[in-house]
Amino acid sequence: MRCLVTGSTGYVGGRLVPELLAAGHEVRVLVRDERKARAHPWADQVEIVVGDATDADDVRRACEGIDVFYYLLHSIGSKGDLVRTEHDMATTIARAAEDAGVGRFVYLSGMAPENEELSEHLRSRDEVARVLLDSKVPTAVLQAGIIIGSGSASFEMLRYLTERLPVMVTPRWVQSRIQPIAIRDVLHLLVGCADLPPDVNRRFDIGGPDVLTYLDMMQRYAKVAQLPPRRILPVPVLSPSISSLWVGFVTPVPSGLARPLVESLRNNVVAQEDDISRYVHLPPGGRTGFERSVELALTKIRDLDVPTRWSSASTGGAPSEPLPLDPDWAGGSLYVDERTIEVKATPEQLWSVIEGIGGDHGWYSWSLAWEVRGLIDRAFGGPGLRRGRRDHSRLVVGDAVDFWRVEDEEEGSFLRLRAEMKVPGLAWLELRVGSDDSGTTSFHQRALFHPRGLLGHLYWWVVWPFHGIIFGDMQRNVAKAAEAQT
């Protein structure tokens, strides 16, 4: 089959592509940023089409000759009317796929229990399913509950809540009934749907073998992770907004993303049928149980073998404008803090420290200041510092690094990070390695800030006195770490 995968640089899509290739399918991906796709190990085995999924012409061009369209897009965490946003994008895609003669849609959605008031997140997923099912393209909608796998947002919430809070005061949603499913089983079913008969146009509930409450999941996670039993005290007064702020402080998932996930937990998500097994054989060994799913996920994390994370996708509402080639674009203000030093190490040694920055390695300067800035960011709904890194030592374009994202990289010489923290403007941090004919290694560091409104200008001048301390100290300590390798 010729398969088109949207959302290929996200959590599920980034793992689905190699599975489709292994099954012998031809794969095309539709991406807005080709560099993010090129950063994946499967990039040379797929056709990359650059375009916007909300543009009918781009989608139509990507759909030419496609047998199976994998719809893995969502706008979770974005501002505005999420249901309308998802409806409009699905309608555009459905019409373009019809025009191009696509053979099938496969859409990964969430369970939409009947006779329950759905969260906005689940309503938006349900609306996309309705649009696709009503189109002229046969559609298979796979409706999952919580996906358990290394790097998934739901798993990260569960993991950090359980590990960091031996005693918890929790809202009523810890009693909701949930049928979690392992990411490996989700991928198996998604690949299998490529071979569905053309007359299949329906929803399928998919889940693992266990039906649990969230409270059960936390206690079972603690057992697998060899932690003491957690003491959990449910109370009826924690609203979704308060719960999401609490989740945002305790886990790496920012409150802007945590809120729709938390709101969805008030619904019971248990499969009402298992009809998918009539069309797609079970994976070898059968469905993966909850404890085994947790074991596999923790092994991946310990082995630093997490190919994609929830943060692979851009944070909703985060600044996304790349740094323009002309730093004085549109006559706007651009504040710049530049500093260069010589380093008594090789360019390779310096680069190894730069590429490992953030996450467990920290930022090589006043740790307390970075921690406080991270806490302030989380208080305002930003990602803070707990988002960490996907890989311990290697960065690629699109990777999240705490409250930054890799916007550009030239292996061995240049790294540009774009801020996704809450600031009144746009901010970047550039780190460059240089050398001259005499063999001298230089480390050039540049911080840039484009203010928005008066508040943006005030923000720059308030933080500017600290730049010499924080960024200067950071540069010197990075240099010392590189020199220590000689």
Side-chain angles (χ1 to χ4, degrees):
M1 297 285 187
R2 286 167 294 182
C3 303
L4 173 64
V5 179
T6 56
S8 61
T9 59
Y11 175 70
V12 176
R15 300 188 183 204
L16 176 62
V17 169
E19 296 294 327
L20 291 171
L21 291 170
H25 299 298
E26 297 177 21
V27 179
R28 179 185 299 163
V29 298
L30 173 62
V31 295
R32 286 179 295 181
D33 187 344
E34 182 175 358
R35 295 172 303 171
K36 290 183 69 173
R38 290 289 177 197
H40 286 266
W42 41 255
D44 293 337
Q45 303 174 63
V46 305
E47 179 187 355
I48 299 175
V49 175
V50 178
D52 192 325
T54 63
D55 185 289
D57 291 335
D58 287 350
V59 178
R60 197 175 296 110
R61 176 166 48 89
C63 286
E64 292 177 0
I66 290 298
D67 299 306
V68 184
F69 187 124
Y70 282 94
Y71 194 119
L72 301 176
L73 301 168
H74 61 83
S75 304
I76 185 171
S78 62
K79 297 180 180 180
D81 187 339
L82 180 60
V83 177
R84 171 52 59 182
T85 299
E86 295 282 87
H87 167 88
D88 291 346
M89 181 166 61
T91 300
T92 297
I93 289 174
R95 290 172 180 170
E98 289 173 353
D99 294 343
V102 169
R104 165 167 300 285
F105 277 123
V106 179
Y107 173 49
L108 180 60
S109 182
M111 288 188 192
E114 297 180 0
N115 303 319
E116 289 189 31
E117 182 183 356
L118 300 180
S119 68
E120 184 184 38
H121 169 51
L122 288 181
R123 283 191 291 114
S124 70
R125 292 297 185 94
D126 187 57
E127 179 62 17
V128 171
R130 187 191 64 77
V131 170
L132 299 182
L133 288 166
D134 288 345
S135 73
K136 297 176 182 178
V137 179
T139 299
V141 178
L142 302 188
Q143 301 184 146
I146 287 180
I147 296 178
I148 301 297
S150 59
S152 82
S154 297
F155 180 73
E156 293 288 278
M157 278 179 52
L158 174 68
R159 174 189 170 200
Y160 280 88
L161 286 175
T162 307
E163 290 185 354
R164 292 181 171 175
L165 297 176
V167 179
M168 285 175 274
V169 176
T170 59
R172 287 176 295 182
W173 49 256
V174 297
Q175 302 293 350
S176 297
R177 297 173 68 242
I178 300 164
Q179 190 168 357
I181 183 170
I183 181 62
R184 57 165 49 190
D185 292 351
V186 173
L187 296 173
H188 175 84
L189 294 172
L190 286 170
V191 173
C193 283
D195 297 314
L196 288 175
D199 61 339
V200 174
N201 186 68
R202 54 163 294 182
R203 303 169 187 257
F204 295 97
D205 286 348
I206 61 171
D210 304 302
V211 177
L212 309 165
T213 65
Y214 205 87
L215 188 151
D216 293 333
M217 290 168 60
M218 287 191 285
Q219 295 291 23
R220 292 196 184 193
Y221 177 95
K223 183 177 180 180
V224 173
Q226 299 182 339
L227 300 170
R230 307 289 91 171
R231 297 182 62 85
I232 300 172
L233 309 172
V235 296
V237 295
L238 293 180
S239 68
S241 58
I242 295 175
S243 295
S244 61
L245 289 174
W246 162 60
V247 170
F249 268 110
V250 175
T251 80
V253 182
S255 56
L257 176 58
R259 178 160 185 163
L261 295 177
V262 167
E263 288 179 337
S264 298
L265 288 173
R266 71 175 184 238
N267 295 113
N268 294 295
V269 284
V270 179
Q272 300 302 303
E273 41 82 12
D274 185 32
D275 294 349
I276 191 65
S277 60
R278 291 163 37 197
Y279 299 96
V280 181
H281 293 300
L282 291 176
R287 293 183 178 88
T288 309
F290 176 77
E291 281 89 349
R292 179 58 178 158
S293 301
V294 171
E295 289 175 358
L296 292 169
L298 291 178
T299 298
K300 288 276 189 181
I301 292 169
R302 282 194 297 266
D303 293 344
L304 302 177
D305 182 25
V306 183
T308 61
R309 296 180 67 215
W310 61 271
S311 56
S312 301
S314 297
T315 302
S320 58
E321 296 92 334
L323 180 67
L325 296 177
D326 177 8
D328 296 317
W329 87 102
S333 300
L334 188 70
Y335 294 115
V336 180
D337 179 280
E338 293 188 78
R339 51 192 76 233
T340 301
I341 61 173
E342 292 185 1
V343 182
K344 296 178 182 179
T346 66
E348 292 76 18
Q349 290 167 334
L350 177 56
W351 177 253
S352 69
V353 178
I354 290 174
E355 193 174 22
I357 205 163
D360 293 339
H361 288 145
W363 292 90
Y364 293 90
S365 63
W366 194 11
S367 299
L368 179 60
W370 285 93
E371 288 292 335
V372 170
R373 185 64 183 88
L375 289 173
I376 293 173
D377 189 52
R378 296 184 76 80
F380 285 91
L385 291 179
R386 292 200 184 109
R387 195 164 58 171
R389 297 169 49 112
R390 177 189 59 84
D391 187 279
H392 188 66
S393 59
R394 182 173 177 266
L395 290 176
V396 296
V397 172
D399 271 357
V401 186
D402 294 327
F403 46 41
W404 305 88
R405 188 172 297 275
V406 179
E407 181 177 282
D408 197 7
E409 183 196 35
E410 297 173 13
E411 181 65 29
S413 64
F414 177 69
L415 177 67
R416 179 188 294 140
L417 303 174
R418 183 184 69 243
E420 292 190 335
M421 67 190 83
K422 298 293 184 180
V423 292
L426 304 173
W428 298 267
L429 178 63
E430 293 182 343
L431 308 173
R432 186 184 296 275
V433 177
S435 61
D436 57 25
D437 294 338
S438 66
T440 301
T441 301
S442 61
F443 178 18
H444 182 69
Q445 180 178 284
R446 189 166 75 140
L448 306 101
F449 182 68
H450 173 55
R452 282 184 174 156
L454 178 60
L455 183 60
H457 291 274
L458 292 174
Y459 173 84
W460 171 264
W461 290 113
V462 167
V463 301
W464 180 77
F466 299 98
H467 281 186
I469 300 173
I470 295 174
F471 287 130
D473 202 32
M474 171 182 165
Q475 188 179 41
R476 288 188 292 272
N477 288 332
V478 166
K480 289 178 181 177
E483 292 168 351
Q485 300 179 28
T486 59

